[in-house]
Amino acid sequence: MSNYQTLQDLFNLNDNELSTYPVVINNEHPADFSEELQNPLDYFIHGQRDKLMQYIGYISKTEAAYSRLNLPYPKRVRSDYKLKPNQLVLQFVRYKTRDSWLFIGCFDHAEIAVTPNGMYNHYPLTLNPKFSEYVGRLVVDYKRNQGDMGRVIKQTDNFKRMTVIDVLSKPMWVNEFR
């Protein structure tokens, strides 16, 4: 177990710095065009880097995806995942329980792009060395409150609610993720 109470304490961030680090929590999710269950934890553990990067960088479906799904393209595509230029993003994937999340890294992002298959808009992400000693090792508890929407934790009080459960002695991966 860790001696740190919150993620903010562990990362030694002051209140002003919290807004500079959006936190994204990634659940498993059914795939749009197959019966496959997309599981970002599996992608991370087994070194499926391309799948993981597209999954955690996902913003929205493209017009081509809506067409393929025989759905009308919305007048306004909504997404809670909006990053500012040069903003780092902290990424977590669901771990063993509903409220436990494994830290998979701090990432830089590029301008919004379309995935190679043309179906999704996403942020191309690159692993940043900041907090790298915790990649695949840090497990936090975060319970979403009723009314919390989306997968981006934006508000300072939500960030402060992330409490450290454990810092594992070895990273959780079969093939190193770099």
Side-chain angles (χ1 to χ4, degrees):
M1 289 298 276
S2 173
N3 296 328
Y4 300 99
Q5 182 179 10
T6 67
L7 184 62
Q8 181 181 5
D9 294 335
L10 179 68
F11 285 176
N12 194 27
L13 299 172
N14 65 45
D15 286 350
N16 292 334
E17 291 175 299
L18 293 183
S19 63
T20 64
Y21 292 101
V23 175
V24 179
I25 54 175
N26 297 281
N27 299 314
E28 55 282 341
H29 191 272
D32 287 323
F33 304 107
S34 72
E35 301 296 317
E36 174 189 0
L37 181 66
Q38 296 175 312
N39 187 331
L41 178 62
D42 283 348
Y43 299 159
F44 176 77
I45 289 173
H46 298 291
Q48 296 175 308
R49 187 180 187 289
D50 291 344
K51 280 186 174 184
L52 179 68
M53 298 310 263
Q54 284 183 19
Y55 191 91
I56 66 175
Y58 171 85
I59 300 169
S60 63
K61 293 178 184 72
T62 61
E63 193 168 350
Y66 277 94
S67 176
R68 185 166 169 199
L69 292 166
N70 296 316
L71 295 171
Y73 188 68
K75 290 179 183 169
R76 183 172 167 223
V77 177
R78 295 182 350 192
S79 174
D80 65 336
Y81 199 0
K82 294 180 175 88
L83 299 176
K84 296 174 186 165
N86 302 316
Q87 188 175 36
L88 298 174
V89 59
L90 305 176
Q91 293 277 353
F92 290 81
V93 294
R94 177 163 285 142
Y95 189 49
K96 292 183 177 181
T97 66
R98 178 177 173 85
D99 297 325
S100 67
W101 304 90
L102 180 69
F103 179 64
I104 61 169
C106 178
F107 292 85
D108 295 297
H109 67 88
E111 291 292 318
I112 296 172
V114 175
T115 56
N117 66 7
M119 296 294 142
Y120 304 103
N121 297 307
H122 76 112
Y123 285 111
L125 300 171
T126 329
L127 193 59
N128 182 290
K130 191 154 188 128
F131 311 123
S132 62
E133 66 271 26
Y134 298 109
V135 172
R137 297 179 49 228
L138 173 63
V139 181
V140 299
D141 177 79
Y142 176 72
K143 292 176 183 62
R144 297 178 73 159
N145 287 336
Q146 184 175 359
D148 285 350
M149 299 292 288
R151 61 191 180 122
V152 179
I153 301 169
K154 296 177 183 174
Q155 300 169 340
T156 302
D157 61 322
N158 287 344
F159 192 99
K160 289 180 175 183
R161 286 190 293 130
M162 296 187 97
T163 55
V164 176
I165 297 173
D166 202 357
V167 178
L168 306 171
S169 60
K170 294 183 179 178
M172 288 291 307
W173 56 53
V174 176
N175 300 312
E176 186 171 350
F177 176 75
R178 292 278 177 221

mmCIF file of all heavy atoms in Angstrom, residues 24-28 39-42 44-45 52 55-56 91-97 100-104 138 140:
data_model
loop_
_atom_site.group_PDB
_atom_site.id
_atom_site.type_symbol
_atom_site.label_atom_id
_atom_site.label_comp_id
_atom_site.label_asym_id
_atom_site.label_seq_id
_atom_site.Cartn_x
_atom_site.Cartn_y
_atom_site.Cartn_z
ATOM 1 N N VAL A 24 -8.071 11.170 -18.124
ATOM 2 C CA VAL A 24 -9.010 10.407 -18.931
ATOM 3 C C VAL A 24 -9.083 8.982 -18.373
ATOM 4 O O VAL A 24 -8.050 8.344 -18.178
ATOM 5 C CB VAL A 24 -8.586 10.375 -20.418
ATOM 6 C CG1 VAL A 24 -9.567 9.556 -21.248
ATOM 7 C CG2 VAL A 24 -8.470 11.788 -20.967
ATOM 8 N N ILE A 25 -10.314 8.534 -18.108
ATOM 9 C CA ILE A 25 -10.520 7.160 -17.653
ATOM 10 C C ILE A 25 -11.152 6.380 -18.801
ATOM 11 O O ILE A 25 -12.071 6.849 -19.460
ATOM 12 C CB ILE A 25 -11.377 7.104 -16.368
ATOM 13 C CG1 ILE A 25 -12.700 7.838 -16.539
ATOM 14 C CG2 ILE A 25 -10.592 7.670 -15.189
ATOM 15 C CD1 ILE A 25 -13.629 7.721 -15.353
ATOM 16 N N ASN A 26 -10.600 5.205 -19.086
ATOM 17 C CA ASN A 26 -11.004 4.421 -20.250
ATOM 18 C C ASN A 26 -11.580 3.078 -19.818
ATOM 19 O O ASN A 26 -10.884 2.270 -19.222
ATOM 20 C CB ASN A 26 -9.782 4.181 -21.149
ATOM 21 C CG ASN A 26 -9.215 5.472 -21.695
ATOM 22 O OD1 ASN A 26 -9.745 6.014 -22.643
ATOM 23 N ND2 ASN A 26 -8.156 5.972 -21.086
ATOM 24 N N ASN A 27 -12.854 2.860 -20.145
ATOM 25 C CA ASN A 27 -13.541 1.591 -19.866
ATOM 26 C C ASN A 27 -13.427 0.665 -21.059
ATOM 27 O O ASN A 27 -13.149 1.103 -22.173
ATOM 28 C CB ASN A 27 -15.042 1.821 -19.656
ATOM 29 C CG ASN A 27 -15.343 2.722 -18.500
ATOM 30 O OD1 ASN A 27 -14.782 2.566 -17.431
ATOM 31 N ND2 ASN A 27 -16.241 3.668 -18.716
ATOM 32 N N GLU A 28 -13.741 -0.615 -20.822
ATOM 33 C CA GLU A 28 -13.923 -1.517 -21.954
ATOM 34 C C GLU A 28 -15.225 -1.113 -22.651
ATOM 35 O O GLU A 28 -16.118 -0.535 -22.030
ATOM 36 C CB GLU A 28 -13.951 -2.980 -21.502
ATOM 37 C CG GLU A 28 -14.975 -3.324 -20.447
ATOM 38 C CD GLU A 28 -14.592 -2.907 -19.027
ATOM 39 O OE1 GLU A 28 -13.421 -2.655 -18.731
ATOM 40 O OE2 GLU A 28 -15.521 -2.787 -18.214
ATOM 41 N N ASN A 39 -10.956 -3.753 -25.018
ATOM 42 C CA ASN A 39 -10.528 -3.653 -23.631
ATOM 43 C C ASN A 39 -9.151 -2.994 -23.581
ATOM 44 O O ASN A 39 -8.141 -3.633 -23.861
ATOM 45 C CB ASN A 39 -10.498 -5.033 -22.985
ATOM 46 C CG ASN A 39 -10.223 -4.960 -21.503
ATOM 47 O OD1 ASN A 39 -9.558 -4.044 -21.035
ATOM 48 N ND2 ASN A 39 -10.734 -5.929 -20.776
ATOM 49 N N PRO A 40 -9.098 -1.725 -23.194
ATOM 50 C CA PRO A 40 -7.813 -1.021 -23.201
ATOM 51 C C PRO A 40 -6.804 -1.608 -22.208
ATOM 52 O O PRO A 40 -5.599 -1.527 -22.444
ATOM 53 C CB PRO A 40 -8.186 0.416 -22.848
ATOM 54 C CG PRO A 40 -9.509 0.328 -22.184
ATOM 55 C CD PRO A 40 -10.196 -0.866 -22.774
ATOM 56 N N LEU A 41 -7.260 -2.228 -21.128
ATOM 57 C CA LEU A 41 -6.329 -2.875 -20.196
ATOM 58 C C LEU A 41 -5.605 -4.021 -20.892
ATOM 59 O O LEU A 41 -4.387 -4.153 -20.781
ATOM 60 C CB LEU A 41 -7.051 -3.370 -18.947
ATOM 61 C CG LEU A 41 -6.177 -4.118 -17.928
ATOM 62 C CD1 LEU A 41 -5.077 -3.222 -17.368
ATOM 63 C CD2 LEU A 41 -7.043 -4.686 -16.802
ATOM 64 N N ASP A 42 -6.348 -4.839 -21.642
ATOM 65 C CA ASP A 42 -5.711 -5.931 -22.399
ATOM 66 C C ASP A 42 -4.726 -5.389 -23.427
ATOM 67 O O ASP A 42 -3.635 -5.929 -23.597
ATOM 68 C CB ASP A 42 -6.762 -6.787 -23.112
ATOM 69 C CG ASP A 42 -7.476 -7.739 -22.182
ATOM 70 O OD1 ASP A 42 -7.026 -7.928 -21.032
ATOM 71 O OD2 ASP A 42 -8.507 -8.301 -22.610
ATOM 72 N N PHE A 44 -3.021 -2.689 -23.279
ATOM 73 C CA PHE A 44 -1.844 -2.205 -22.554
ATOM 74 C C PHE A 44 -0.981 -3.366 -22.077
ATOM 75 O O PHE A 44 0.223 -3.399 -22.327
ATOM 76 C CB PHE A 44 -2.277 -1.339 -21.365
ATOM 77 C CG PHE A 44 -1.131 -0.876 -20.514
ATOM 78 C CD1 PHE A 44 -0.319 0.159 -20.940
ATOM 79 C CD2 PHE A 44 -0.854 -1.477 -19.304
ATOM 80 C CE1 PHE A 44 0.752 0.588 -20.173
ATOM 81 C CE2 PHE A 44 0.206 -1.054 -18.520
ATOM 82 C CZ PHE A 44 1.016 -0.024 -18.959
ATOM 83 N N ILE A 45 -1.594 -4.322 -21.408
ATOM 84 C CA ILE A 45 -0.846 -5.444 -20.821
ATOM 85 C C ILE A 45 -0.124 -6.252 -21.891
ATOM 86 O O ILE A 45 1.005 -6.693 -21.700
ATOM 87 C CB ILE A 45 -1.774 -6.348 -19.989
ATOM 88 C CG1 ILE A 45 -2.186 -5.608 -18.707
ATOM 89 C CG2 ILE A 45 -1.114 -7.674 -19.641
ATOM 90 C CD1 ILE A 45 -3.227 -6.325 -17.884
ATOM 91 N N LEU A 52 -4.274 0.411 -28.577
ATOM 92 C CA LEU A 52 -4.417 1.203 -27.360
ATOM 93 C C LEU A 52 -4.404 2.698 -27.689
ATOM 94 O O LEU A 52 -5.244 3.453 -27.197
ATOM 95 C CB LEU A 52 -3.306 0.884 -26.360
ATOM 96 C CG LEU A 52 -3.386 1.698 -25.063
ATOM 97 C CD1 LEU A 52 -4.605 1.297 -24.244
ATOM 98 C CD2 LEU A 52 -2.120 1.524 -24.248
ATOM 99 N N TYR A 55 -7.572 3.788 -29.216
ATOM 100 C CA TYR A 55 -8.669 3.706 -28.243
ATOM 101 C C TYR A 55 -8.618 4.875 -27.266
ATOM 102 O O TYR A 55 -9.624 5.548 -27.036
ATOM 103 C CB TYR A 55 -8.613 2.382 -27.480
ATOM 104 C CG TYR A 55 -9.854 2.132 -26.658
ATOM 105 C CD1 TYR A 55 -10.930 1.439 -27.193
ATOM 106 C CD2 TYR A 55 -9.961 2.617 -25.359
ATOM 107 C CE1 TYR A 55 -12.079 1.221 -26.457
ATOM 108 C CE2 TYR A 55 -11.108 2.407 -24.618
ATOM 109 C CZ TYR A 55 -12.165 1.712 -25.164
ATOM 110 O OH TYR A 55 -13.303 1.513 -24.437
ATOM 111 N N ILE A 56 -7.454 5.133 -26.660
ATOM 112 C CA ILE A 56 -7.390 6.184 -25.647
ATOM 113 C C ILE A 56 -7.383 7.578 -26.260
ATOM 114 O O ILE A 56 -7.679 8.551 -25.579
ATOM 115 C CB ILE A 56 -6.195 5.996 -24.677
ATOM 116 C CG1 ILE A 56 -4.855 6.168 -25.377
ATOM 117 C CG2 ILE A 56 -6.297 4.675 -23.947
ATOM 118 C CD1 ILE A 56 -3.645 6.111 -24.446
ATOM 119 N N GLN A 91 -3.604 9.309 -18.568
ATOM 120 C CA GLN A 91 -4.511 8.255 -19.026
ATOM 121 C C GLN A 91 -4.547 7.102 -18.023
ATOM 122 O O GLN A 91 -3.505 6.638 -17.557
ATOM 123 C CB GLN A 91 -4.046 7.717 -20.381
ATOM 124 C CG GLN A 91 -4.154 8.702 -21.516
ATOM 125 C CD GLN A 91 -5.552 8.770 -22.132
ATOM 126 O OE1 GLN A 91 -6.442 7.996 -21.807
ATOM 127 N NE2 GLN A 91 -5.736 9.704 -23.039
ATOM 128 N N PHE A 92 -5.766 6.624 -17.740
ATOM 129 C CA PHE A 92 -6.004 5.476 -16.867
ATOM 130 C C PHE A 92 -6.925 4.499 -17.581
ATOM 131 O O PHE A 92 -7.767 4.896 -18.388
ATOM 132 C CB PHE A 92 -6.705 5.918 -15.566
ATOM 133 C CG PHE A 92 -5.837 6.717 -14.649
ATOM 134 C CD1 PHE A 92 -5.644 8.075 -14.853
ATOM 135 C CD2 PHE A 92 -5.218 6.116 -13.565
ATOM 136 C CE1 PHE A 92 -4.846 8.831 -13.999
ATOM 137 C CE2 PHE A 92 -4.413 6.859 -12.705
ATOM 138 C CZ PHE A 92 -4.230 8.213 -12.919
ATOM 139 N N VAL A 93 -6.776 3.200 -17.275
ATOM 140 C CA VAL A 93 -7.703 2.181 -17.767
ATOM 141 C C VAL A 93 -8.302 1.450 -16.569
ATOM 142 O O VAL A 93 -7.663 1.334 -15.521
ATOM 143 C CB VAL A 93 -7.028 1.161 -18.730
ATOM 144 C CG1 VAL A 93 -6.578 1.836 -20.014
ATOM 145 C CG2 VAL A 93 -5.867 0.453 -18.072
ATOM 146 N N ARG A 94 -9.554 0.991 -16.759
ATOM 147 C CA ARG A 94 -10.198 0.249 -15.668
ATOM 148 C C ARG A 94 -9.337 -0.952 -15.329
ATOM 149 O O ARG A 94 -8.840 -1.659 -16.204
ATOM 150 C CB ARG A 94 -11.585 -0.200 -16.056
ATOM 151 C CG ARG A 94 -12.209 -1.026 -14.922
ATOM 152 C CD ARG A 94 -13.685 -1.202 -14.999
ATOM 153 N NE ARG A 94 -14.344 0.033 -14.612
ATOM 154 C CZ ARG A 94 -15.443 0.481 -15.198
ATOM 155 N NH1 ARG A 94 -15.989 -0.179 -16.179
ATOM 156 N NH2 ARG A 94 -15.990 1.597 -14.795
ATOM 157 N N TYR A 95 -9.165 -1.186 -14.021
ATOM 158 C CA TYR A 95 -8.279 -2.260 -13.561
ATOM 159 C C TYR A 95 -9.098 -3.470 -13.125
ATOM 160 O O TYR A 95 -9.723 -4.104 -13.966
ATOM 161 C CB TYR A 95 -7.355 -1.708 -12.469
ATOM 162 C CG TYR A 95 -6.247 -2.621 -12.036
ATOM 163 C CD1 TYR A 95 -5.425 -3.245 -12.957
ATOM 164 C CD2 TYR A 95 -6.019 -2.869 -10.696
ATOM 165 C CE1 TYR A 95 -4.397 -4.091 -12.553
ATOM 166 C CE2 TYR A 95 -4.991 -3.704 -10.283
ATOM 167 C CZ TYR A 95 -4.190 -4.311 -11.212
ATOM 168 O OH TYR A 95 -3.188 -5.136 -10.804
ATOM 169 N N LYS A 96 -9.158 -3.811 -11.869
ATOM 170 C CA LYS A 96 -9.806 -5.056 -11.438
ATOM 171 C C LYS A 96 -11.251 -4.883 -10.981
ATOM 172 O O LYS A 96 -12.015 -5.827 -11.003
ATOM 173 C CB LYS A 96 -9.006 -5.698 -10.312
ATOM 174 C CG LYS A 96 -7.655 -6.215 -10.760
ATOM 175 C CD LYS A 96 -6.939 -6.905 -9.628
ATOM 176 C CE LYS A 96 -5.625 -7.492 -10.110
ATOM 177 N NZ LYS A 96 -4.914 -8.187 -9.050
ATOM 178 N N THR A 97 -11.607 -3.684 -10.547
ATOM 179 C CA THR A 97 -12.965 -3.444 -10.077
ATOM 180 C C THR A 97 -13.541 -2.226 -10.771
ATOM 181 O O THR A 97 -12.821 -1.491 -11.454
ATOM 182 C CB THR A 97 -12.997 -3.205 -8.542
ATOM 183 O OG1 THR A 97 -12.312 -1.972 -8.264
ATOM 184 C CG2 THR A 97 -12.346 -4.351 -7.778
ATOM 185 N N SER A 100 -11.513 0.902 -9.693
ATOM 186 C CA SER A 100 -10.043 0.934 -9.663
ATOM 187 C C SER A 100 -9.507 1.161 -11.078
ATOM 188 O O SER A 100 -10.011 0.605 -12.047
ATOM 189 C CB SER A 100 -9.464 -0.353 -9.056
ATOM 190 O OG SER A 100 -9.712 -1.463 -9.864
ATOM 191 N N TRP A 101 -8.478 2.009 -11.155
ATOM 192 C CA TRP A 101 -7.944 2.465 -12.439
ATOM 193 C C TRP A 101 -6.430 2.379 -12.421
ATOM 194 O O TRP A 101 -5.785 2.809 -11.468
ATOM 195 C CB TRP A 101 -8.380 3.908 -12.706
ATOM 196 C CG TRP A 101 -9.865 4.063 -12.647
ATOM 197 C CD1 TRP A 101 -10.616 4.363 -11.529
ATOM 198 C CD2 TRP A 101 -10.794 3.866 -13.703
ATOM 199 N NE1 TRP A 101 -11.943 4.383 -11.851
ATOM 200 C CE2 TRP A 101 -12.089 4.082 -13.176
ATOM 201 C CE3 TRP A 101 -10.658 3.546 -15.050
ATOM 202 C CZ2 TRP A 101 -13.232 3.980 -13.951
ATOM 203 C CZ3 TRP A 101 -11.801 3.444 -15.821
ATOM 204 C CH2 TRP A 101 -13.067 3.655 -15.273
ATOM 205 N N LEU A 102 -5.859 1.817 -13.494
ATOM 206 C CA LEU A 102 -4.415 1.665 -13.645
ATOM 207 C C LEU A 102 -3.881 2.821 -14.487
ATOM 208 O O LEU A 102 -4.396 3.098 -15.577
ATOM 209 C CB LEU A 102 -4.088 0.331 -14.323
ATOM 210 C CG LEU A 102 -2.613 0.014 -14.559
ATOM 211 C CD1 LEU A 102 -1.905 -0.248 -13.225
ATOM 212 C CD2 LEU A 102 -2.471 -1.203 -15.477
ATOM 213 N N PHE A 103 -2.838 3.478 -13.994
ATOM 214 C CA PHE A 103 -2.201 4.574 -14.724
ATOM 215 C C PHE A 103 -1.369 4.003 -15.863
ATOM 216 O O PHE A 103 -0.504 3.158 -15.641
ATOM 217 C CB PHE A 103 -1.311 5.373 -13.763
ATOM 218 C CG PHE A 103 -0.573 6.510 -14.390
ATOM 219 C CD1 PHE A 103 -1.244 7.594 -14.937
ATOM 220 C CD2 PHE A 103 0.815 6.520 -14.418
ATOM 221 C CE1 PHE A 103 -0.559 8.660 -15.503
ATOM 222 C CE2 PHE A 103 1.513 7.580 -14.981
ATOM 223 C CZ PHE A 103 0.823 8.648 -15.525
ATOM 224 N N ILE A 104 -1.648 4.463 -17.090
ATOM 225 C CA ILE A 104 -0.888 3.954 -18.236
ATOM 226 C C ILE A 104 0.007 5.013 -18.866
ATOM 227 O O ILE A 104 0.676 4.740 -19.854
ATOM 228 C CB ILE A 104 -1.794 3.308 -19.301
ATOM 229 C CG1 ILE A 104 -2.793 4.304 -19.864
ATOM 230 C CG2 ILE A 104 -2.484 2.075 -18.718
ATOM 231 C CD1 ILE A 104 -3.518 3.800 -21.100
ATOM 232 N N LEU A 138 0.773 2.233 -10.916
ATOM 233 C CA LEU A 138 -0.073 3.025 -10.032
ATOM 234 C C LEU A 138 -1.538 2.631 -10.205
ATOM 235 O O LEU A 138 -2.074 2.651 -11.306
ATOM 236 C CB LEU A 138 0.097 4.514 -10.343
ATOM 237 C CG LEU A 138 -0.843 5.480 -9.624
ATOM 238 C CD1 LEU A 138 -0.633 5.422 -8.110
ATOM 239 C CD2 LEU A 138 -0.653 6.888 -10.165
ATOM 240 N N VAL A 140 -5.344 3.588 -8.734
ATOM 241 C CA VAL A 140 -6.116 4.560 -7.953
ATOM 242 C C VAL A 140 -7.568 4.122 -7.854
ATOM 243 O O VAL A 140 -8.057 3.336 -8.673
ATOM 244 C CB VAL A 140 -6.051 5.991 -8.555
ATOM 245 C CG1 VAL A 140 -4.623 6.506 -8.588
ATOM 246 C CG2 VAL A 140 -6.682 6.041 -9.928
#
